[in-house]
Amino acid sequence: MSKDEALTADEIALYDRQIRLWGMATQLRLRSAKVLIVNVGGVGTEIVKNLVLGGLNSIELLDSSVVKEEDFAAQFFLPNDDSIIGQPKLPIIVEKIKELNNRVKLNINTTPLESIFEDPSYFKQFDLIIATELNRSQLFALNQHTRALSIPLYATGLHGLFGYIITDLIEHYSTPQKEAGNQLREPNTKINRSKTITKVDFDKGSNTETLTILDEFVPIPQIFKSKELPNQLNKRQLKRLSASFPLIFSLFEFEKPLNPEDVIDKELLRAKGIQLCEQYGIPTASITEEYLDMFSNQAFTEYSPVAAVLGGTLAQDVIQFLSKKESPINNVLILDSVKSEMPIYLL
Amino acid sequence: MAKDTYLKKILGNDRYSRVRQTKILMVGAGGIGCELLKDLVLTGYGEIHIVDLDTITLSNLNRQFLFRHHDIDKSKSLTVAKAVDSFNYFDTKLVPHHGNIMDAKQFPITWWSQFSYIFNALDNLEARRYVNRMCLYLKTPLMESGTTGFDGQIQPIYPYYSECFDCQSKVTPKTFPVCTIRSTPSQPVHCITWAKEFLFHQLFDEVDSSAGGLNDAAKIKSETDDKDEIENMTKEFNELVDLRKLIFNSDARTFFTELVNKIFKVDVERLLLIETLWKSRQKPVPLIITQYEQDLIRILDDQTELQKIFGDETKVWSTLENLVILFKASESLQRRLQGEESFLSFDKDDEDTLNFVTASANLRSIIFNIEVKSKFDIKQIAGNIIPAIATTNAIISGFSSLSGTNYFKYDFEETQDFSRIYQESSSIFISIKPNKYITSASLVGPNERCPTSSIARGLLKLTPVEVKELSLKWLVDKLIEQYDYADEAVALILGKSRLIYDVDFDDNLEKRLGDLSGFTDGELLMVQDDDGELESIELYISIVEDHESDYLPQIKLGPKKAITEESSNGSSGAPDVATDTIVIDEEDEDLVEVTEPVVKKRKIEVEVL
């Protein structure tokens, strides 16, 4: 259905509680959005659940994997049946996902990502791509294509109690409404490296300003070698910086163990973590024994509550992105559920 | 390998085995509940009890992902328990209860005492307060959570170590002066309140004299001394009583015509006569029904036209359209009252009642030159609908289960010393900013002025035989022996306010406990130190078959707190004062973002569904 076609009475009744929050216009934007989700693991499961409930136009799931025993940790669309182990995952879960909301078109594609890369025009059909649990080379390769095609990209992954969201949304215009202060905001004001007020519409009657804000994003490989972090944190913040940021980025250098019982070598992780701290210009002291133990143990593991927080945050940001009301996450969010922190860094 | 390899790696073997063996309770199976239950089941809890009194509606389905279209009207608790079966990979035992958590018969204190941890996933203050108090009696840790729109928060509660739910006063709904509602409305919400709480209530609901406080003589007198206005209100009210009689002995058209004529013409004309009201206000314009009569009759016979009007709930209806809706709604309500139903209460999901309130509120708005609203918008105000989305619920439930599961890090089997876990826990708020997504705050100790947690609490355990045989004197002696009251002077108050013993009132001393009226299972007994030295203790009478030798809680009473006791012995809870808790964000000093204030005010209380 097109953006111009009004919501039906049935749609309004079903989406009542969310339309009351974000309005009809956003619901219409959601209804016209076509999204690709790469890999449906623990966090992918949460994202697809949230976006199907939200009422997107269509979602394509791309995942060539077969069901593994450890998938029964957080992937709740899997039936409780051991005999499916070894079978391709998507055909088994798709019907269960459709049950959530039959208004959303759901397609599945079990082609391996590497084969898709051979014909990247495939990506053109999507307004937005969400990639989960990619390794570094896959992420960089995908980002190269999304950059070339100007398609916004979200990347996310889980490591037990920890997780991340990395965004390259190319550019994004939003029009938030703010109460006007004593001094009116000026158009063409740069708020920071990536954020510019391009337009200000002042409404005297309600004393509000409708701003047009441009958020600009950098390609993901640039995030991996950024020197920006120390400039964004004060001394105290730098000192109490959690090791989850350098360790999550360190884990991009490791492959997920084939045997889920295996752990990541702690000393290799320590060396990589320290190297990354030096590279990012942050104190190496954050790499504590406690964090190294947790990360070597929990790397690449899935845990439902953490998947829920991360998948909820990502899906919410996708809705925010599509609604054009506020700025989306730019460009790295770290979830540390040990410290109950979710900092966002502009790298 | 096994399915729980990841859980063992993340939680560690000790915590995981405690989680596997424990019994927990989740109260509420709605927006947060569906998400939370998924997380708890996938954390591998041994046994989860679920309580909810509600049934599933269509508007739940945008976020309560365990429910389907074909589940509408079914019990939430029974349905969720069945729905998670498909991913109950760790064989959690699920025990659903369809019922009201505040029902002490269905859920006596002995039932509550089986749980090691309680998760609240509720949408209303009353039930939250009740669960909070039960947790204080039993010293059971509680996870409180709530969401509204994009906002949400969790608050872990460790009884008597951290703030309880009542330690922070909660925001209460705004109320309006009676005169504004009855005589001089100036906003849509005034007309909606009038339509729902005055007009609808007086015409169709169970008869009482209160009219939702909108005909309270004392209240009106406190607001105005304009004799004409007061007299007019009384007259208006009495005529409404006559109008109600018409429902039963007239046809639809007569009732409607009389209704419109009285409410939107005669009453308004009379208001206009009170000139003092309109000195600085725009005068209302009475509605003359005859102007619309012809069109009204035509439309009422035209099914296509009718469907068109009823079909679009987001459109702002014209005067004529509102009259059409009012006619159809009052006709239908009248028919229902003439039939089976003896009275009708406003319910946002009962179309007839919502249509009536929408149309009458709008007609009043038109008369008073106030903005007219769509049915969609009026439903939100009249029905107190709080926007709710899947993502916020998913995030908050995730934190709720994470923080709750953290409790099992330590072994609390032997001790209820929460000092360590209390230090390590925090409240979490969603607060989306360019440099962070959440704010967390360390827990603080109980508020000394909190009427709920500033007194001691515990169980008075007795067997049925003991209740029959032991005297009140035995109990008084036992209390003095246990808690060391100076001068042996205590006062005992049973239930809400009945004094059964103090030094000057010993008539009951020789009576058996069971002969004291109201001394029953689930009743409360407040014990106060007559000398005012020791804090009071509120005992929950628990009649059980067996309690070994302990009758009273083994605690040491502290000195009496500063707070007055009047609100502490009932279920009324904390006074509802509207104050916001301010979370100061220490980390934002450097990152300047023009659009966000550094200090953010946040409401502690949020309603969910």
Side-chain angles (χ1 to χ4, degrees), chain A residues 102-149:
Chain A
N102 59 15
R103 290 186 158 75
V104 179
K105 284 177 239 132
L106 205 65
N107 306 311
I108 56 170
N109 187 338
T110 53
T111 316
L113 185 60
E114 277 69 21
S115 315
I116 299 277
F117 285 156
E118 286 163 22
D119 179 16
S121 65
Y122 164 80
F123 296 119
K124 274 195 205 159
Q125 55 185 309
F126 305 108
D127 301 315
L128 188 143
I129 297 175
I130 299 163
T132 72
E133 287 151 28
L134 297 192
N135 63 32
R136 197 173 72 161
S137 61
Q138 288 172 323
L139 180 58
F140 284 16
L142 177 59
N143 186 219
Q144 208 174 359
H145 297 307
T146 58
R147 267 276 148 181
L149 298 165

Side-chain angles (χ1 to χ4, degrees), chain B residues 289-348:
Chain B
I289 180 77
T290 45
Q291 269 178 267
Y292 301 95
E293 229 153 27
Q294 270 189 337
D295 287 329
L296 191 58
I297 291 165
R298 176 180 55 77
I299 295 174
L300 287 172
D301 281 335
D302 183 342
Q303 285 308 317
T304 359
E305 185 74 5
L306 276 177
Q307 263 173 11
K308 215 174 104 193
I309 300 172
F310 273 91
D312 195 350
E313 303 192 348
T314 58
K315 189 185 158 225
V316 173
W317 290 323
S318 67
T319 308
L320 177 63
E321 286 166 333
N322 275 302
L323 283 167
V324 171
I325 300 286
L326 187 68
F327 182 90
K328 296 304 281 184
S330 65
E331 181 186 41
S332 179
L333 292 167
Q334 187 184 16
R335 199 180 315 118
R336 284 166 63 179
L337 280 186
Q338 287 171 348
E340 294 279 286
E341 295 167 81
S342 55
F343 61 88
L344 294 161
S345 300
F346 174 79
D347 174 353
K348 65 181 190 312

